[in-house]
Structure formats: C-alpha cells, structure tokens
Amino acid sequence: MAKSDVKLIGAWPSPFVLRARIALNVKSVEYEFLQETLGSKSELLLKSNPVHKKIPVLLHHDKPICESLIIVEYIDEVWASGPSILPSDPYERAIARFWASYVDEKWFPAMKSIAVAQDDEARKAAVVQVAEGLALLEEAFQKISKGKSFFGGDHIGYLDIAFGGFLGWLRVTEGTGGIKLLNETKTPGLLKWADDFAAHPAVKDVLPDIGKLAEFSKVIVAKMRAAAAAPAK
Amino acid sequence: MSGETVKLLGHWASPFALRVIWALKLKEIEYEYVGEDLPNKSPLLLEYNPVHKKIPVLVHGGKPIAESLVILEYLDEAWKHNPILPDDPYERAQARFWARFVDEKCMPSIMSAFTKKGEEKEKAAKEARENFKILESGLGKKQFFGGESVGFVDIAAGWIGLWTRMVEEIADVNIIDTAMMPLLESWFQRVLQVPILKECLPPQDKVLERFKGFHKFLTGGSS
C-alpha cells in the first residue's frame, strides 16, 4: 500500500495520537504523519473531523476515521495479516475493551485533575484517585498478562496501546509532582510493564521525549488551569 | 458456546440494559434476566462488576462483562447469527463513532437540560438540539443507522427519542425540533415500530413516574 494511502493527522504530545501511531507501527504500515500546529486547526482536520475537530484522524484512501480507540480497532481489522492487536477470544476482547474504556472514562480524567488542582488538598485527593485506579489496573494486569510482559501477552495489544498512550504523561506527572505513581510496592507489574512498553520497537521511536513533554505540559497545564478556574459562562 | 447459560443483570427502567435486551432478542439468544432492585445492589452485582457496580452486566458461562457497548460487541462476536455490526471495517468504525457520540455528547447534554434550571437549562437544551442535529448527519437518508435494518447504533440509541420527550415534558424544555432534525425525528418513530424493539420497551407511564421522581429530587422540586 502506498504511503499516501494512509495519513494520520496528529501532534507529537497527544496520548491519543500516540495510540494510533503505535497501532500503525505494530502492523508495519507506512503512513504520512501530518503534524498539527498547537493553537490552530488545519482545514484538513476541520474537514475530516467536523464533529469533534480533534486529533487523531486516520485518513485511509482519503476516508476519515476518528476517535483513537476506534482508529486502533480499524487498523487491526484492515491490516488483518499483521500481528493481532485485539485478542482472538471474544471474552478477552471484551475485557480489553472494558479496561480501555475505564482508562478513558475514569483514570485519565483523574490524571487531568492532578494537573488542574487549584490547591494542595485538591491535588492530594486527585493523586489518591489516580493511585486507586492504578491499583485496579495492576490487578487487571496480573490477571490478563498471565505472567507475560504485556496485557497482550508476549506481544503488545489493545490495552497496552490504550493505557500505554498515557505513559509519557504519567512520567511527566510523576516528575512534576515528585510522586512515584508506578512503584515497586503498589504496582510492581505495571512498573516493569512501563519499561518494557517504552522499549518496544513499535513504541520507542514515537514515544515523546519526556523532557520535551514536561516543557510542553507547562503550557498545556497553564491553559487547563485557567479554563478550570474561570467562572462558567 | 451456545451451551453455556447467559444471564443479564439489569434494571427495568435502564436504557443501557434495554440495549442489551434488544441485542439478545435480535440475535435470538436465550437468557435469564435478573432485575436489580437499585439502589440496593445485590451481592451478585457487586461481585460481577466491582469496578463500576452498575448494570447492565452480562454473565456468560459464569464470566461477567460490563459496559453496555462492550457487551453489544461481545454478543456480536460470540454469536454470529443476525450480526449487529456491519462487515466492512470503515462502516464498523462509523457505527462505533456514532454510538460513542450518543453516550459522550447527546446523553450528557440531555441530562444537563433535565437537571439544570433557568439560563443553564436553556443552554443545555440548545446543546442537546445541536448534538441531535449532528447525530442526524450520521443517519442521513437511511431508514436506520444500520441501513435497511437495525444495527449497532439503532440498538444503542433507539430509545433516546422516547426518553428525550419525557425530559422535555418534565423539565419544560424543547430538544427535539422537527424543523431542525426531520430525518432524525422520523427515525425516532420508525425504530420503535420494529416489533422486537417495541415489545421490549418498559411501561412508559412507570418510566415517566420514575423520571418525575428524579427530577424533583435533583432540582429540589421546582423548575
């Protein structure tokens, strides 16, 4: 398939875009990465995702697919001859989808709460929430990985990609806050998983540089805090 | 696979449980229904869905699956009869997109219109109307979101017109605007004419009573 058949509209810091990139890498799909500029949205993005106007958007033969996890499933289905991203067993697929949904709907919002917390007390409460979520994910990891390196077993799978997309932001949050969210006592499995994931060939070249991400996060967090502190219109 | 028992933990008034019932009926899957007496959650529910402690939960051969859209995908993969999702990956992606849009955009804005007052209520209603207008673009001129027959999005959202009308009545808001969304409005009617979907609907008068109760509780009585 020609490189121009597959395009991904995205930006390097986005955990959601990262999911799509990793999935494409797992399948060894060549694609053109169309980087958006922060603060402005390209005509192509607005045309391709008129509903949400958000990245990532996968363009396959110029047909747009939006929403990161939907993109990952699409990639798995279209490039079916490559390594599988979702497990083959329907029950295991359901479990993977359940936890990916949990990460998006419960865990990541708690992570964002740490960033926008207006005071120390709010920040502490948010950290507790995130830690509780990680305890659940650790338990899930132990059950699902069955002693292997990844949620997907020997190979990275849907849940590795869904959760792993946030690894950079997790590291930045740890660094900024001087906290160890992944640690030997509470999350030994995830602690090792994080290193294995970051080192994986499909991940390591697209995982954002943590220093660069930390710098970028200052800009984003300032914006998020301003929006959170502003009175509702 | 077909030999193992299927159980559904649900609630008579829940549209999320209704999604699963619709899918089970359409795919002709035999199941045992266990009605939860919310808010008194049974030990079974807490055991099967410790993370969210919510219905619906599907239990297949003793193994639980939670989250209604996850359950729909599971049913479609474990039982090949009468598929809910299309075969084509691009069409599947579209179906998933619109089902999520209903949950992430339509539902919250309708709920906001239901629970808020005054200017905030009107603002939420406007957003809910706009979201329905956007949802209509996913339907287009098709009979159903699934095309000629009901599919994933119809099952995920087929109840929403009926529920929204109740919200409109109780909260005194306008969300379904015929002029603005004629195609969606006729879909609201058409989808509930499908016999299998129609016959599973809970008694509407009881749902309305329940909503009225919620509204009183959530808004402190007056609108």
Side-chain angles (χ1 to χ4, degrees):
Chain A
M1 206 162 285
K3 191 171 170 178
S4 57
D5 288 344
V6 186
K7 297 182 177 123
L8 183 70
I9 308 175
W12 66 269
S14 162
F16 305 102
V17 170
L18 186 57
R19 287 169 167 176
R21 300 191 81 177
I22 295 169
L24 288 164
N25 286 352
V26 165
K27 301 284 190 178
S28 303
V29 175
E30 288 215 356
Y31 65 98
E32 200 184 329
F33 186 52
L34 302 170
Q35 182 109 243
E36 289 283 305
T37 325
L38 179 70
S40 73
K41 297 185 190 215
S42 69
E43 275 303 304
L44 185 64
L45 174 60
L46 297 175
K47 191 185 100 184
S48 308
N49 191 358
V51 175
H52 301 297
K53 306 174 176 58
K54 284 183 172 178
I55 49 160
V57 179
L58 183 76
L59 290 164
H60 189 203
H61 299 302
D62 296 320
K63 293 205 289 193
I65 299 108
C66 308
E67 300 289 277
S68 62
L69 293 179
I70 294 176
I71 292 171
V72 172
E73 291 228 33
Y74 177 84
I75 291 167
D76 201 30
E77 289 170 6
V78 170
W79 287 276
S81 58
S84 289
I85 292 175
L86 273 149
S88 46
D89 174 70
Y91 187 71
E92 289 178 21
R93 290 162 78 92
I95 296 301
R97 287 178 178 131
F98 172 86
W99 285 109
S101 176
Y102 172 80
V103 166
D104 275 0
E105 288 165 30
K106 301 281 177 197
W107 187 78
F108 184 55
M111 278 281 285
K112 284 198 284 192
S113 294
I114 298 178
V116 300
Q118 300 293 329
D119 56 50
D120 240 16
E121 210 182 297
R123 210 185 129 269
K124 279 202 182 119
V127 170
V128 166
Q129 254 205 307
V130 170
E132 281 171 355
L134 287 172
L136 286 175
L137 287 162
E138 171 73 18
E139 200 188 321
F141 178 75
Q142 297 294 348
K143 270 199 207 130
I144 297 167
S145 64
K146 300 188 181 77
K148 304 271 169 91
S149 303
F150 303 108
F151 286 96
D154 287 320
H155 308 284
I156 60 171
Y158 184 78
L159 189 48
D160 298 284
I161 294 173
F163 182 47
F166 294 110
L167 189 56
W169 285 96
L170 187 75
R171 294 262 182 256
V172 167
T173 308
E174 286 182 320
T176 324
I179 38 173
K180 278 259 163 279
L181 291 167
L182 294 183
N183 55 71
E184 199 53 61
T185 8
K186 301 263 172 66
T187 63
L190 290 180
L191 185 66
K192 183 174 178 297
W193 167 86
D195 286 339
D196 290 337
F197 182 78
H200 191 280
V203 178
K204 66 180 180 6
D205 293 332
V206 289
L207 197 63
D209 171 72
I210 301 305
K212 219 175 147 193
L213 198 62
E215 275 309 303
F216 177 82
S217 84
K218 289 181 187 155
V219 176
I220 281 292
V221 169
K223 275 194 179 158
M224 282 164 75
R225 287 179 137 220
K233 288 190 199 102
Chain B
M1 188 75 78
S2 52
E4 295 176 306
T5 38
V6 178
K7 215 184 270 197
L8 173 66
L9 273 65
H11 187 271
W12 65 271
S14 163
F16 303 101
L18 186 58
R19 287 174 169 172
V20 181
I21 291 170
W22 277 348
L24 287 162
K25 292 283 186 195
L26 283 162
K27 295 178 75 73
E28 295 170 4
I29 299 167
E30 292 215 2
Y31 68 101
E32 183 198 327
Y33 178 75
V34 178
E36 283 286 316
D37 170 38
L38 302 174
N40 307 308
K41 301 183 184 191
S42 73
L44 206 63
L45 173 59
L46 298 176
E47 185 202 320
Y48 282 143
N49 190 2
V51 175
H52 302 296
K53 305 175 178 56
K54 284 181 171 179
I55 54 99
V57 180
L58 187 88
V59 188
H60 185 202
K63 298 200 285 193
I65 298 136
E67 296 292 281
S68 58
L69 296 182
V70 175
I71 296 171
L72 292 190
E73 296 242 20
Y74 176 77
L75 290 174
D76 219 32
E77 288 169 359
W79 283 268
K80 298 297 179 193
H81 180 59
N82 290 350
I84 299 170
L85 276 161
D87 277 328
D88 175 69
Y90 182 74
E91 297 303 321
R92 291 162 75 87
Q94 295 310 297
R96 288 169 174 145
F97 178 88
W98 289 113
R100 286 179 69 132
F101 182 78
V102 166
D103 278 0
E104 288 167 21
K105 296 285 179 191
C106 297
M107 288 293 285
S109 52
I110 295 166
M111 278 310 293
S112 258
F114 185 62
T115 56
K116 299 214 147 63
K117 297 184 195 180
E119 214 181 290
E120 283 191 316
K121 183 178 79 168
E122 292 308 322
K123 190 166 169 249
K126 181 166 183 274
E127 210 186 306
R129 282 194 298 275
E130 284 162 359
N131 285 332
F132 270 161
K133 182 78 194 146
I134 294 171
L135 182 61
E136 189 182 65
S137 72
L139 175 69
K141 297 229 157 80
K142 302 197 295 272
Q143 286 293 288
F144 302 103
F145 281 88
E148 296 293 306
S149 56
V150 298
F152 193 73
V153 183
D154 304 283
I155 293 168
W159 45 271
I160 210 167
L162 211 53
W163 258 249
T164 305
R165 289 256 179 254
M166 283 190 246
V167 166
E168 288 182 319
E169 184 186 320
I170 299 166
D172 190 30
V173 268
N174 172 249
I175 297 172
I176 300 174
D177 180 331
T178 314
M180 203 178 158
M181 52 194 78
L183 298 173
L184 195 70
E185 214 208 341
S186 68
W187 170 78
F188 286 150
Q189 329 255 22
R190 188 180 313 121
V191 70
L192 293 179
Q193 290 310 306
V194 175
I196 294 177
L197 305 190
K198 190 176 182 177
E199 67 201 24
C200 296
L201 287 173
Q204 292 302 291
D205 52 349
K206 292 217 168 79
V207 178
L208 188 67
E209 280 312 299
R210 190 177 166 82
F211 265 36
K212 281 184 179 161
F214 282 155
H215 190 251
K216 229 175 159 179
F217 176 71
L218 291 166
T219 60
S222 59
S223 53

